[in-house]
Amino acid sequence: EDQVTQSPEALRLQEGESSSLNCSYTVSGLRGLFWYRQDPGKGPEFLFTLYSAGEEKEKERLKATLTKKESFLHITAPKPEDSATYLCAVPNNAGNMLTFGGGTRLMVKP
Amino acid sequence: NAGVTQTPKFRVLKTGQSMTLLCAQDMNHEYMYWYRQDPGMGLRLIHYSVGEGTTAKGEVPDGYNVSRLKKQNFLLGLESAAPSQTSVYFCASSYPRNEQFFGPGTRLTVL
């Protein structure tokens, strides 16, 4: 059974203080990994897809990286508007379901 | 493009009442999904569909039914609502094996 674990559960940062969120996974064969951002009261918003170890994707202050066992979401010089819950997910073998991690709630103080 | 839309946004039901949640997508996606999200439980898949006229059970299907009569619509039904079904419900859609795109959610309270 696929398992996805995110850490930490919550992270408080000062504006400008860079950090990383972790997503570790146990799957029979990686078929991609997705990162989402979720704001309170809203649906998850797609950020990145990573398919192979060593791959990196960037968007503004966010950079996602992938190894054979985990993915990191690096946040460089975060701003208060980056505050949200960040979710990662992996698809099953058939590609018709996602297993989500529990999420990391990021709070960036001005 | 509106993306994925959900109707209604909020609903309050009494125990035993029934209701239908509507999801619509305009991206021509084959796959559609219904999730529920509860504090401390994360996103859990209720039912999904890989094409018009097909449906399948997810992780937590009990107490729910679904129908996909048209490619762009996916309906979630509660025949006899229970307080345990109080939750936020999200619909999503995708191409096969690709990232899913989510709707804004429906907040349901069952008294």
Side-chain angles (χ1 to χ4, degrees):
Chain A
E1 182 179 331
D2 296 344
Q3 289 190 330
V4 180
T5 304
Q6 292 187 246
S7 62
E9 289 186 9
L11 181 62
R12 293 177 185 267
L13 298 174
Q14 288 295 128
E15 184 173 1
E17 179 186 3
S18 302
S19 188
S20 296
L21 283 55
N22 177 263
C23 171
S24 62
Y25 55 87
T26 306
V27 297
S28 57
L30 185 63
R31 298 157 292 280
L33 186 142
F34 305 115
W35 279 99
Y36 289 85
R37 168 191 171 128
Q38 186 173 23
D39 293 297
K42 296 188 176 181
E45 174 189 352
F46 170 71
L47 291 174
F48 304 110
T49 305
L50 301 167
Y51 284 109
S52 57
E55 188 175 359
E56 299 183 352
K57 293 275 180 75
E58 286 190 65
K59 181 180 180 180
E60 296 180 357
R61 294 175 293 281
L62 300 177
K63 183 169 79 172
T65 62
L66 183 65
T67 71
K68 288 185 178 181
K69 292 186 177 181
E70 58 192 347
S71 178
F72 292 94
L73 186 64
H74 307 278
I75 302 177
T76 302
K79 297 182 178 182
E81 53 261 42
D82 294 322
S83 298
T85 295
Y86 291 86
L87 302 165
C88 65
V90 295
N92 64 351
N93 270 329
N96 55 16
M97 280 195 253
L98 292 180
T99 299
F100 279 88
T104 293
R105 188 161 64 96
L106 175 66
M107 294 155 281
V108 182
K109 300 286 188 180
Chain B
N1 288 347
V4 179
T5 58
Q6 292 183 232
T7 309
K9 289 184 170 52
F10 303 93
R11 186 74 186 267
V12 178
L13 291 178
K14 294 181 180 180
T15 297
Q17 288 184 318
S18 64
M19 77 163 294
T20 300
L21 281 67
L22 171 64
C23 175
Q25 54 96 2
D26 62 1
M27 296 175 281
N28 202 35
H29 286 161
E30 290 293 330
Y31 290 9
M32 295 186 75
Y33 314 81
W34 276 108
Y35 292 88
R36 61 178 289 172
Q37 188 174 39
D38 304 289
M41 300 296 289
L43 279 162
R44 293 183 291 169
L45 183 65
I46 304 171
H47 286 281
Y48 66 98
S49 167
V50 298
E52 183 177 315
T54 73
T55 63
K57 294 180 180 180
E59 182 184 356
V60 289
D62 294 341
Y64 304 95
N65 57 75
V66 288
S67 64
R68 183 113 182 258
L69 299 180
K70 293 182 179 181
K71 185 177 183 179
Q72 64 267 33
N73 295 338
F74 195 28
L75 278 63
L76 178 71
L78 286 73
E79 290 185 347
S80 180
S84 60
Q85 294 177 305
T86 293
S87 187
V88 181
Y89 292 85
F90 290 104
C91 176
S93 70
S94 75
Y95 290 117
R97 300 182 181 276
N98 278 18
E99 60 276 7
Q100 296 178 16
F101 293 89
F102 285 79
T106 294
R107 186 173 296 274
L108 175 66
T109 302
V110 183
L111 303 176

